[in-house]
mmCIF file of all heavy atoms in Angstrom:
data_model
loop_
_atom_site.group_PDB
_atom_site.id
_atom_site.type_symbol
_atom_site.label_atom_id
_atom_site.label_comp_id
_atom_site.label_asym_id
_atom_site.label_seq_id
_atom_site.Cartn_x
_atom_site.Cartn_y
_atom_site.Cartn_z
ATOM 1 N N ALA A 137 -14.019 -17.420 -19.396
ATOM 2 C CA ALA A 137 -13.212 -18.320 -18.499
ATOM 3 C C ALA A 137 -11.751 -17.964 -18.492
ATOM 4 O O ALA A 137 -11.093 -17.967 -17.461
ATOM 5 C CB ALA A 137 -13.482 -19.823 -18.890
ATOM 6 N N VAL A 151 -18.806 -8.490 -15.910
ATOM 7 C CA VAL A 151 -19.709 -8.980 -16.939
ATOM 8 C C VAL A 151 -21.069 -8.160 -16.806
ATOM 9 O O VAL A 151 -21.582 -8.034 -15.678
ATOM 10 C CB VAL A 151 -19.958 -10.521 -16.691
ATOM 11 C CG1 VAL A 151 -21.038 -11.058 -17.560
ATOM 12 C CG2 VAL A 151 -18.710 -11.218 -16.931
ATOM 13 N N PRO A 161 -42.432 -4.024 -29.115
ATOM 14 C CA PRO A 161 -43.240 -3.253 -29.927
ATOM 15 C C PRO A 161 -42.696 -2.851 -31.385
ATOM 16 O O PRO A 161 -43.495 -2.577 -32.254
ATOM 17 C CB PRO A 161 -43.456 -2.013 -29.120
ATOM 18 C CG PRO A 161 -43.248 -2.389 -27.702
ATOM 19 C CD PRO A 161 -42.260 -3.461 -27.725
ATOM 20 N N ARG A 165 -44.895 -3.722 -34.602
ATOM 21 C CA ARG A 165 -45.375 -2.540 -35.369
ATOM 22 C C ARG A 165 -44.683 -2.511 -36.777
ATOM 23 O O ARG A 165 -45.251 -2.227 -37.635
ATOM 24 C CB ARG A 165 -45.077 -1.226 -34.665
ATOM 25 C CG ARG A 165 -45.522 -0.082 -35.519
ATOM 26 C CD ARG A 165 -45.514 1.243 -34.840
ATOM 27 N NE ARG A 165 -45.916 2.268 -35.658
ATOM 28 C CZ ARG A 165 -46.094 3.553 -35.366
ATOM 29 N NH1 ARG A 165 -45.861 3.909 -34.197
ATOM 30 N NH2 ARG A 165 -46.426 4.412 -36.358
ATOM 31 N N LEU A 175 -31.612 -4.674 -33.761
ATOM 32 C CA LEU A 175 -30.614 -5.482 -32.987
ATOM 33 C C LEU A 175 -29.116 -5.327 -33.533
ATOM 34 O O LEU A 175 -28.255 -5.247 -32.651
ATOM 35 C CB LEU A 175 -30.945 -6.918 -33.025
ATOM 36 C CG LEU A 175 -32.297 -7.293 -32.266
ATOM 37 C CD1 LEU A 175 -32.672 -8.797 -32.552
ATOM 38 C CD2 LEU A 175 -32.095 -7.049 -30.845
ATOM 39 N N ALA A 193 -21.464 -9.694 -27.209
ATOM 40 C CA ALA A 193 -22.205 -10.707 -27.959
ATOM 41 C C ALA A 193 -23.750 -10.710 -27.729
ATOM 42 O O ALA A 193 -24.052 -10.285 -26.592
ATOM 43 C CB ALA A 193 -21.698 -12.054 -27.587
ATOM 44 N N LEU A 195 -26.868 -12.741 -26.939
ATOM 45 C CA LEU A 195 -27.109 -14.043 -26.338
ATOM 46 C C LEU A 195 -28.380 -14.710 -27.055
ATOM 47 O O LEU A 195 -28.424 -15.936 -27.179
ATOM 48 C CB LEU A 195 -27.447 -13.942 -24.883
ATOM 49 C CG LEU A 195 -26.313 -13.670 -23.976
ATOM 50 C CD1 LEU A 195 -26.705 -13.649 -22.600
ATOM 51 C CD2 LEU A 195 -25.260 -14.692 -24.287
ATOM 52 N N PRO A 208 -10.526 -1.951 -12.890
ATOM 53 C CA PRO A 208 -9.900 -1.819 -11.459
ATOM 54 C C PRO A 208 -10.831 -1.944 -10.307
ATOM 55 O O PRO A 208 -10.404 -2.527 -9.332
ATOM 56 C CB PRO A 208 -9.263 -0.505 -11.444
ATOM 57 C CG PRO A 208 -9.870 0.233 -12.601
ATOM 58 C CD PRO A 208 -10.416 -0.643 -13.577
ATOM 59 N N ASP A 209 -12.117 -1.576 -10.436
ATOM 60 C CA ASP A 209 -12.994 -1.598 -9.308
ATOM 61 C C ASP A 209 -14.434 -1.403 -9.676
ATOM 62 O O ASP A 209 -14.750 -1.189 -10.796
ATOM 63 C CB ASP A 209 -12.577 -0.574 -8.172
ATOM 64 C CG ASP A 209 -12.636 0.809 -8.664
ATOM 65 O OD1 ASP A 209 -13.219 1.107 -9.699
ATOM 66 O OD2 ASP A 209 -11.693 1.668 -8.229
ATOM 67 N N HIS A 214 -19.004 0.640 -13.016
ATOM 68 C CA HIS A 214 -20.314 1.349 -13.129
ATOM 69 C C HIS A 214 -20.176 2.462 -14.231
ATOM 70 O O HIS A 214 -20.996 2.677 -15.051
ATOM 71 C CB HIS A 214 -20.594 2.042 -11.748
ATOM 72 C CG HIS A 214 -21.768 2.874 -11.753
ATOM 73 N ND1 HIS A 214 -21.701 4.235 -11.950
ATOM 74 C CD2 HIS A 214 -23.085 2.539 -11.737
ATOM 75 C CE1 HIS A 214 -22.795 4.750 -11.924
ATOM 76 N NE2 HIS A 214 -23.650 3.774 -11.772
ATOM 77 N N SER A 215 -18.964 3.090 -14.244
ATOM 78 C CA SER A 215 -18.737 4.118 -15.385
ATOM 79 C C SER A 215 -18.790 3.433 -16.675
ATOM 80 O O SER A 215 -19.425 4.090 -17.609
ATOM 81 C CB SER A 215 -17.319 4.732 -14.984
ATOM 82 O OG SER A 215 -17.053 5.648 -16.023
ATOM 83 N N ALA A 222 -25.511 5.257 -22.316
ATOM 84 C CA ALA A 222 -25.525 6.488 -23.090
ATOM 85 C C ALA A 222 -25.655 6.212 -24.602
ATOM 86 O O ALA A 222 -26.199 6.983 -25.324
ATOM 87 C CB ALA A 222 -24.210 7.271 -22.856
ATOM 88 N N ARG A 231 -35.733 2.220 -40.751
ATOM 89 C CA ARG A 231 -35.922 2.222 -42.169
ATOM 90 C C ARG A 231 -36.023 3.768 -42.550
ATOM 91 O O ARG A 231 -36.020 4.631 -41.666
ATOM 92 C CB ARG A 231 -37.095 1.480 -42.519
ATOM 93 C CG ARG A 231 -38.519 1.878 -41.957
ATOM 94 C CD ARG A 231 -39.657 0.964 -42.374
ATOM 95 N NE ARG A 231 -40.834 1.287 -41.749
ATOM 96 C CZ ARG A 231 -41.759 0.454 -41.596
ATOM 97 N NH1 ARG A 231 -41.638 -0.788 -42.005
ATOM 98 N NH2 ARG A 231 -42.919 0.768 -40.978
ATOM 99 N N GLN A 232 -35.999 3.995 -43.797
ATOM 100 C CA GLN A 232 -36.026 5.285 -44.335
ATOM 101 C C GLN A 232 -37.035 6.255 -43.705
ATOM 102 O O GLN A 232 -38.248 5.841 -43.725
ATOM 103 C CB GLN A 232 -36.192 5.281 -45.926
ATOM 104 C CG GLN A 232 -35.967 6.668 -46.554
ATOM 105 C CD GLN A 232 -34.570 7.095 -46.463
ATOM 106 O OE1 GLN A 232 -33.711 6.366 -46.484
ATOM 107 N NE2 GLN A 232 -34.354 8.438 -46.460
ATOM 108 N N ARG A 237 -36.801 4.944 -30.388
ATOM 109 C CA ARG A 237 -36.034 4.949 -29.251
ATOM 110 C C ARG A 237 -36.354 3.738 -28.361
ATOM 111 O O ARG A 237 -37.590 3.506 -28.110
ATOM 112 C CB ARG A 237 -36.281 6.266 -28.427
ATOM 113 C CG ARG A 237 -35.744 7.457 -29.000
ATOM 114 C CD ARG A 237 -35.910 8.646 -28.140
ATOM 115 N NE ARG A 237 -35.505 9.861 -28.767
ATOM 116 C CZ ARG A 237 -34.334 10.370 -28.643
ATOM 117 N NH1 ARG A 237 -33.373 9.739 -27.964
ATOM 118 N NH2 ARG A 237 -33.986 11.569 -29.249
ATOM 119 N N ALA A 245 -21.889 -7.783 -12.841
ATOM 120 C CA ALA A 245 -21.182 -8.401 -11.670
ATOM 121 C C ALA A 245 -19.754 -8.324 -11.883
ATOM 122 O O ALA A 245 -19.304 -8.480 -12.988
ATOM 123 C CB ALA A 245 -21.711 -9.887 -11.672
ATOM 124 N N ALA A 249 -12.684 -12.427 -5.841
ATOM 125 C CA ALA A 249 -11.309 -12.999 -5.817
ATOM 126 C C ALA A 249 -11.376 -14.500 -6.033
ATOM 127 O O ALA A 249 -12.203 -15.250 -5.438
ATOM 128 C CB ALA A 249 -10.819 -12.655 -4.397
ATOM 129 N N ASP A 255 -20.023 -19.314 -15.311
ATOM 130 C CA ASP A 255 -21.552 -19.492 -15.281
ATOM 131 C C ASP A 255 -22.070 -18.670 -14.025
ATOM 132 O O ASP A 255 -23.184 -18.022 -14.141
ATOM 133 C CB ASP A 255 -22.036 -20.924 -15.294
ATOM 134 C CG ASP A 255 -21.759 -21.682 -16.479
ATOM 135 O OD1 ASP A 255 -21.765 -20.900 -17.629
ATOM 136 O OD2 ASP A 255 -21.536 -22.714 -16.510
ATOM 137 N N LEU A 257 -20.787 -16.085 -12.616
ATOM 138 C CA LEU A 257 -20.524 -14.582 -12.830
ATOM 139 C C LEU A 257 -21.683 -14.273 -13.781
ATOM 140 O O LEU A 257 -22.366 -13.116 -13.515
ATOM 141 C CB LEU A 257 -19.259 -14.367 -13.408
ATOM 142 C CG LEU A 257 -18.801 -12.900 -13.623
ATOM 143 C CD1 LEU A 257 -18.777 -12.218 -12.174
ATOM 144 C CD2 LEU A 257 -17.331 -12.717 -14.217
ATOM 145 N N THR A 263 -29.074 -11.843 -12.744
ATOM 146 C CA THR A 263 -29.977 -11.553 -11.571
ATOM 147 C C THR A 263 -30.142 -10.074 -11.402
ATOM 148 O O THR A 263 -31.216 -9.543 -11.117
ATOM 149 C CB THR A 263 -29.459 -12.294 -10.331
ATOM 150 O OG1 THR A 263 -29.405 -13.724 -10.554
ATOM 151 C CG2 THR A 263 -30.316 -11.952 -9.123
ATOM 152 N N TYR A 266 -32.386 -8.534 -14.137
ATOM 153 C CA TYR A 266 -33.740 -8.728 -13.940
ATOM 154 C C TYR A 266 -34.271 -8.030 -12.778
ATOM 155 O O TYR A 266 -35.398 -7.536 -12.617
ATOM 156 C CB TYR A 266 -34.059 -10.260 -13.793
ATOM 157 C CG TYR A 266 -34.215 -10.923 -15.062
ATOM 158 C CD1 TYR A 266 -33.208 -11.730 -15.634
ATOM 159 C CD2 TYR A 266 -35.337 -10.668 -15.851
ATOM 160 C CE1 TYR A 266 -33.310 -12.288 -16.809
ATOM 161 C CE2 TYR A 266 -35.445 -11.215 -17.122
ATOM 162 C CZ TYR A 266 -34.399 -12.022 -17.549
ATOM 163 O OH TYR A 266 -34.567 -12.575 -18.848
ATOM 164 N N ALA A 279 -24.615 -6.278 -9.191
ATOM 165 C CA ALA A 279 -24.927 -7.541 -8.381
ATOM 166 C C ALA A 279 -24.521 -7.328 -6.960
ATOM 167 O O ALA A 279 -25.052 -7.942 -6.055
ATOM 168 C CB ALA A 279 -24.242 -8.802 -8.988
ATOM 169 N N LEU A 282 -27.331 -6.126 -4.807
ATOM 170 C CA LEU A 282 -28.220 -7.107 -4.487
ATOM 171 C C LEU A 282 -27.804 -7.965 -3.256
ATOM 172 O O LEU A 282 -28.550 -8.334 -2.403
ATOM 173 C CB LEU A 282 -28.556 -7.953 -5.724
ATOM 174 C CG LEU A 282 -29.188 -7.202 -6.867
ATOM 175 C CD1 LEU A 282 -29.392 -8.173 -8.027
ATOM 176 C CD2 LEU A 282 -30.469 -6.557 -6.539
ATOM 177 N N ASP A 285 -27.925 -5.938 -0.130
ATOM 178 C CA ASP A 285 -29.333 -5.842 0.323
ATOM 179 C C ASP A 285 -29.851 -7.139 0.839
ATOM 180 O O ASP A 285 -30.675 -7.152 1.667
ATOM 181 C CB ASP A 285 -30.296 -5.535 -0.992
ATOM 182 C CG ASP A 285 -30.069 -4.052 -1.322
ATOM 183 O OD1 ASP A 285 -29.473 -3.275 -0.626
ATOM 184 O OD2 ASP A 285 -30.503 -3.650 -2.523
ATOM 185 N N PRO A 290 -21.663 -8.520 3.649
ATOM 186 C CA PRO A 290 -21.442 -7.389 4.364
ATOM 187 C C PRO A 290 -20.202 -6.653 4.158
ATOM 188 O O PRO A 290 -19.131 -7.284 3.878
ATOM 189 C CB PRO A 290 -21.576 -7.855 5.818
ATOM 190 C CG PRO A 290 -21.569 -9.304 5.757
ATOM 191 C CD PRO A 290 -21.735 -9.711 4.372
ATOM 192 N N MET A 296 -23.366 2.743 -7.168
ATOM 193 C CA MET A 296 -23.091 4.182 -7.215
ATOM 194 C C MET A 296 -23.767 4.719 -8.387
ATOM 195 O O MET A 296 -23.381 4.507 -9.556
ATOM 196 C CB MET A 296 -21.542 4.387 -7.367
ATOM 197 C CG MET A 296 -20.756 3.831 -6.077
ATOM 198 S SD MET A 296 -19.129 3.616 -6.443
ATOM 199 C CE MET A 296 -19.181 2.201 -7.409
ATOM 200 N N GLY A 311 -41.244 9.899 -36.571
ATOM 201 C CA GLY A 311 -41.539 9.921 -38.113
ATOM 202 C C GLY A 311 -40.578 10.675 -38.887
ATOM 203 O O GLY A 311 -39.552 11.242 -38.244
#
Side-chain angles (χ1 to χ4, degrees):
V151 172
R165 180 172 178 176
L175 291 171
L195 290 180
D209 54 27
H214 179 262
S215 179
R231 59 184 175 204
Q232 187 67 31
R237 287 186 185 270
D255 292 332
L257 191 57
T263 299
Y266 276 105
L282 298 178
D285 288 346
M296 295 161 291

